[in-house]
Amino acid sequence: MSNNDTFYITTPIYYPSDNLHIGHAYTTVAADTLARYHRFRGKDVWFLTGSDEHGQKIERKAKEMGMEPLAYVDKIVANFKHLWDSLHISYDDFIRTSEDRHKQVVQEIFTKIYNKGDIYKSTYEGLYCTPCETFWTDRQLEEKKCPDCDREVELLQEESYFFKMSKYQDRLLQYIEDNPDFIQPVSRRNEMVSFIKSGLDDLCVSRTTFDWGIPVPIENNHVIYVWFDALTNYISALGYGSGDPKYDKYWPCDVHLVGKDIVRFHTIIWPIILMAAEMELPKKVFGHGWLLLDQGKMSKSKGNVVDPLQLIDKYGVDAVRYFLLRDMPFGQDGYYSEEALAMRINTDLANDFGNLLSRTTAMINKFAQGVIPEPGAEEPLDTELKEVKAQAVAEFEDIMEKLELNNALAAVWKLINRSNKYIDETMPWALAKDEAKRDRLNTVLYNLAESLRIATVMITPFMPSLPEKVWQQLGIVEHTNAHNFNSIYQWGGLPVGVAINRGEPVFPRIDLAALREEASADKEEKQQQQDSKKKEKAKKKPEPPAEIGIDDFFKVQFKIAEVLECEKVPKADRLLKLTLDVAGEKKTVVSGIAEHYGPDEMVGKKVVWVANLKPAKLRGIESQGMILAASDDEGNLEVLSLKQDLPSGSLVK
Ligand code: MSP
């Protein structure tokens, strides 16, 4: 069993159906920061990430590309790994669900639960969302569409294996109540509790509609439901059942870090799988918020996904990581824009941090011959600076335990900002003018460099490549004791007498005006592309409809109708409401012809009316059938009407 000296943290395993975007990077950067932090504090950390490779969606995508599913995902998984390297993600293991070590464990767990009687066979009929690989009940759908992705669902019926989730409902509720930290933040716990209380259905855990998955051990033409398969990665990667000591050492997991959309799978299905398999439950599932754009969600189909690799190239990995973790309150949604990123770089990194480093090293060069001076007697301002440091450290440690990464950075910035203020208050340039104040000057310069050192140690897990540059400039690359987390408790860990090497700014400022210009040029270009796509689409003639027989044609009844009254539909530019006379009967029709005909032009016309069309509500008006009109590619339109005065009600054949 894992103990307090170990720390096991996981990210979700990502779908290799496409390359990853900045939203995915967010989860992994956060997990990496926590893993680095706990390692830094001396814990034995295991940090797992990976890829969730099975399922119908991947099978279909591979087919579209004319590839085998494994060959298709191999390429994308290689891209995942490249991205994680570029983001300096320090994972200890990368699990792929297509690996044998994983498949064996999934089958073993499935068999164990089946033998116990908690998995049974029955017939399933349900509404399935293929992109989300999820069955939904009728009441879960929103406007008949998948509540997660808003796409059409399809009705599937199949012989399936079911998992007795309902049996564990009360035990799970009890567990959540007894372990208030299990689901975080609290708002997500409340959501899950009410979901469970509304009643858990048994879960269909096998499929026969596709092959790309792990076969059900008892019946090989079924594959195991992707979420049952995917969730098990958290123990298969530890070598569960193989005698690997990692399992005993790290399980139960300290934190499953996941996005809010998949909290349900991790806090309901996964714990119940573990309960049924008689295993311990994870200590914590933390559901963070989503990174959104002004226009809403990022999506490939909207063409608005943000590629983290491009940002790293442009701004550097530390700045991208900093922005992700600083800008969004961890647990809540936040907005991404390149301008917000650039502003964070300019304000927090270039101004606050960068200036502290550059002013401190410049003054040590100028006033202390480029060597860290020995501090003298302490004055009240120094005491205050040290107190701010002590508070920042205490706050930081406390907040890191709560996983509030953005607030942890804010705590470090209290020290950085206080140090910048300390420069203005102590005015080293004035002290330098008076030889009698040399001791005081040395104390101030030392304190500044020390404060910078401590802040840098604290932000090491967030921006892993920054410290090396700072140690270089402070001349303490070799003094590794001054880089340790433990060195931040005591003031004075910075060695005296070492020569510094003032260097280039660690965070160059971004030209916001140029960035805005670039953004507006990009926007214009995108608009032009969209317009020309629209034109292309409009040019394309629709496919002619399939041939029909005369019987089909006669299913539609056309009659002559006379327009008695006509008026505009309020707040609808394109609609007219017509009152028709059909052999003495009055009918109401709403027609989209208002851009072509005024109401007066229509009154008195004898038009062709579709008599047996099911009524439909348009703008709250029941339209009984429709009238016919012809239109061309240029958008000209003419309502079909009679030249000869045949009576209304006459049949059109
Ligand atoms: N394969 C499943 C997870 C199985 S874990 C046993 C999956 N994969 S995913 O690739 O679609 O998403 C992985 C993670 O990325 C999720 O935690 C999801 O919340 C996160 N994000 C996807 N888009 C995101 C944002 N725009 N912002 C923040 N996180 C986002 O779900």
Side-chain angles (χ1 to χ4, degrees):
M1 183 184 164
S2 70
N3 57 35
N4 282 341
D5 300 331
T6 58
F7 185 76
Y8 177 29
I9 183 166
T10 66
T11 71
I13 49 173
Y14 298 91
Y15 290 129
S17 49
D18 239 314
N19 287 332
L20 300 177
H21 58 60
I22 191 84
H24 302 113
Y26 177 66
T27 317
T28 304
V29 166
D32 180 64
T33 302
L34 289 164
R36 285 176 182 274
Y37 174 71
H38 286 280
R39 253 185 233 127
F40 208 27
R41 309 217 47 182
K43 284 205 176 172
D44 178 342
V45 171
W46 197 253
F47 172 24
L48 176 71
T49 189
S51 49
D52 182 0
E53 307 188 1
H54 294 127
Q56 192 165 16
K57 190 173 170 193
I58 304 243
E59 191 182 71
R60 279 187 190 164
K61 274 228 160 183
K63 214 180 226 167
E64 273 165 34
M65 310 280 285
M67 292 171 91
E68 285 302 315
L70 189 60
Y72 172 75
V73 293
D74 275 350
K75 273 176 63 181
I76 299 185
V77 169
N79 294 344
F80 284 10
K81 290 186 176 172
H82 172 63
L83 172 63
W84 299 149
D85 289 346
S86 309
L87 275 168
H88 295 197
I89 304 301
S90 59
Y91 58 84
D92 294 294
D93 194 3
F94 189 107
I95 180 94
R96 299 183 55 176
T97 54
S98 57
E99 289 174 86
D100 280 343
R101 61 169 175 153
H102 173 72
K103 293 192 221 166
Q104 275 164 15
V105 176
V106 174
Q107 289 189 326
E108 194 178 326
I109 299 285
F110 193 99
T111 309
K112 194 170 173 186
I113 302 178
Y114 177 79
N115 288 341
K116 207 178 159 192
D118 283 347
I119 288 181
Y120 61 95
K121 199 168 176 187
S122 183
T123 305
Y124 187 80
E125 187 180 273
L127 300 157
Y128 191 63
C129 173
T130 305
C132 297
E133 320 267 13
T134 308
F135 272 105
W136 298 103
T137 60
D138 222 5
R139 69 192 155 108
Q140 286 171 325
L141 297 182
E142 283 169 14
E143 295 183 357
K144 305 225 157 107
K145 291 192 176 153
C146 169
D148 273 357
C149 71
D150 199 32
R151 277 182 271 216
E152 298 290 337
V153 290
E154 42 188 333
L155 189 68
L156 284 189
Q157 194 183 44
E158 53 183 4
E159 278 251 280
S160 300
Y161 286 88
F162 284 82
F163 178 33
K164 282 189 189 162
M165 298 259 292
S166 50
K167 174 177 159 187
Y168 292 90
Q169 175 172 326
D170 294 341
R171 246 179 88 181
L172 180 59
L173 278 173
Q174 191 60 48
Y175 183 84
I176 296 172
E177 196 173 303
D178 295 344
N179 296 276
D181 277 351
F182 174 51
I183 308 175
Q184 292 287 315
V186 177
S187 56
R188 308 227 191 273
R189 181 177 64 216
N190 296 341
E191 257 173 61
M192 290 306 115
V193 167
S194 56
F195 186 91
I196 302 167
K197 283 188 174 158
S198 75
L200 293 183
D201 296 324
D202 287 353
L203 178 73
C204 175
V205 284
S206 71
R207 302 284 183 268
T208 50
T209 42
F210 60 93
D211 300 324
W212 177 235
I214 302 176
V216 168
I218 322 115
E219 198 175 350
N220 272 226
N221 62 331
H222 289 250
V223 293
I224 295 175
Y225 172 47
V226 275
W227 273 100
F228 192 103
D229 164 351
L231 289 161
T232 307
N233 90 86
Y234 300 129
I235 53 171
S236 67
L238 296 180
Y240 168 81
S242 70
D244 187 329
K246 281 205 297 295
Y247 178 75
D248 282 339
K249 191 169 175 191
Y250 295 114
W251 192 257
C253 180
D254 290 86
V255 188
H256 288 314
L257 196 62
V258 300
K260 61 178 185 178
D261 53 321
I262 57 172
V263 169
R264 193 166 58 88
F265 299 94
H266 284 80
T267 57
I268 299 177
I269 301 180
W270 180 224
I272 294 184
I273 293 176
L274 291 166
M275 281 177 178
E278 288 157 25
M279 292 161 72
E280 282 184 90
L281 269 53
K283 293 178 199 159
K284 186 180 298 210
V285 175
F286 190 99
H288 64 68
W290 268 46
L291 205 62
L292 302 170
L293 302 175
D294 281 349
Q295 319 95 303
K297 278 190 187 176
M298 257 175 257
S299 87
K300 190 98 186 171
S301 58
K302 284 192 204 158
N304 62 1
V305 289
V306 179
D307 179 1
L309 287 171
Q310 280 179 9
L311 294 181
I312 296 169
D313 270 357
K314 203 164 166 185
Y315 300 108
V317 58
D318 285 333
V320 173
R321 287 179 61 121
Y322 177 81
F323 168 76
L324 288 174
L325 300 174
R326 178 66 186 95
D327 219 53
M328 264 171 71
F330 204 59
Q332 292 169 33
D333 288 348
Y335 284 87
Y336 166 82
S337 75
E338 195 168 337
E339 189 164 330
L341 164 62
M343 272 161 54
R344 276 282 173 203
I345 295 177
N346 284 354
T347 329
D348 301 7
L349 300 180
N351 279 2
D352 301 343
F353 186 86
N355 277 348
L356 180 61
L357 175 64
S358 115
R359 288 165 92 189
T360 303
T361 50
M363 291 190 293
I364 292 176
N365 268 352
K366 201 163 169 195
F367 306 135
Q369 294 78 48
V371 171
I372 308 265
E374 168 108 41
E378 183 171 316
E379 293 196 4
L381 271 178
D382 313 333
T383 315
E384 199 198 323
L385 181 66
K386 290 180 193 178
E387 274 167 13
V388 169
K389 188 273 314 180
Q391 267 168 25
V393 169
E395 218 175 286
F396 180 79
E397 285 189 300
D398 179 46
I399 290 172
M400 284 303 278
E401 289 309 314
K402 296 186 193 143
L403 275 66
E404 293 172 16
L405 299 175
N406 61 311
N407 290 333
L409 283 170
V412 183
W413 254 252
K414 283 186 190 162
L415 173 61
I416 293 171
N417 292 335
R418 185 65 192 82
S419 307
N420 275 319
K421 196 168 153 216
Y422 176 84
I423 300 181
D424 303 335
E425 290 165 343
T426 53
M427 295 191 290
W429 50 92
L431 298 173
K433 287 187 185 138
D434 183 351
E435 196 42 44
K437 294 193 174 143
R438 166 128 315 262
D439 255 14
R440 180 69 198 134
L441 175 62
N442 285 349
T443 307
V444 168
L445 295 179
Y446 181 88
N447 283 347
L448 283 170
E450 173 64 348
S451 174
L452 192 58
R453 179 191 72 81
I454 291 171
T456 306
V457 171
M458 287 162 88
I459 46 186
T460 300
F462 294 80
M463 293 190 271
S465 65
L466 174 68
E468 189 63 29
K469 296 176 198 159
V470 179
W471 306 153
Q472 183 67 34
Q473 295 212 16
L474 290 180
I476 56 167
V477 174
E478 311 288 320
H479 297 79
T480 48
N481 283 344
H483 315 165
N484 289 339
F485 194 81
N486 284 339
S487 71
I488 65 176
Y489 298 108
Q490 288 293 325
W491 193 265
L494 181 71
V496 167
V498 295
I500 64 156
N501 313 288
R502 185 157 195 264
E504 293 293 303
V506 279
F507 294 107
R509 285 184 67 81
I510 311 297
D511 181 346
L512 282 179
L515 187 71
R516 283 183 195 132
E517 236 168 69
E518 200 182 294
S520 85
D522 264 7
K523 207 170 159 190
E524 219 167 274
E525 194 183 319
K526 274 207 183 117
Q527 188 61 47
Q528 279 171 1
Q529 278 170 356
Q530 264 177 9
D531 290 350
S532 69
K533 259 194 202 155
K534 261 191 204 155
K535 274 189 194 149
E536 281 295 306
K537 212 171 154 191
K539 267 192 217 155
K540 276 192 197 146
K541 293 260 180 297
E543 287 281 310
E547 210 169 62
I548 58 168
I550 191 77
D551 291 350
D552 290 321
F553 179 77
F554 280 119
K555 280 185 190 155
V556 189
Q557 190 178 56
F558 301 101
K559 285 186 176 175
I560 299 300
E562 181 173 352
V563 182
L564 294 179
E565 291 163 19
C566 181
E567 60 185 274
K568 280 190 154 254
V569 175
K571 292 190 203 143
D573 296 344
R574 296 178 52 243
L575 301 182
L576 289 183
K577 179 182 159 196
L578 310 160
T579 307
L580 306 180
D581 167 77
V582 188
E585 237 184 287
K586 278 193 182 172
K587 298 284 175 193
T588 303
V589 166
V590 177
S591 179
I593 54 173
E595 285 163 341
H596 306 272
Y597 291 89
D600 294 346
E601 283 175 272
M602 291 302 296
V603 175
K605 265 194 198 302
K606 290 238 169 111
V607 296
V608 182
W609 174 65
V610 182
N612 60 339
L613 192 66
K614 201 165 152 194
K617 269 218 163 132
L618 292 169
R619 298 279 168 158
I621 306 167
E622 186 173 84
S623 180
Q624 302 161 303
M626 61 186 269
I627 61 167
L628 299 190
S631 62
D632 66 11
D633 284 350
E634 258 76 66
N636 300 309
L637 179 141
E638 190 173 343
V639 168
L640 301 190
S641 57
L642 287 196
K643 286 239 165 68
Q644 230 180 298
D645 197 18
L646 292 178
S648 76
S650 306
L651 282 177
V652 180
K653 287 187 269 186

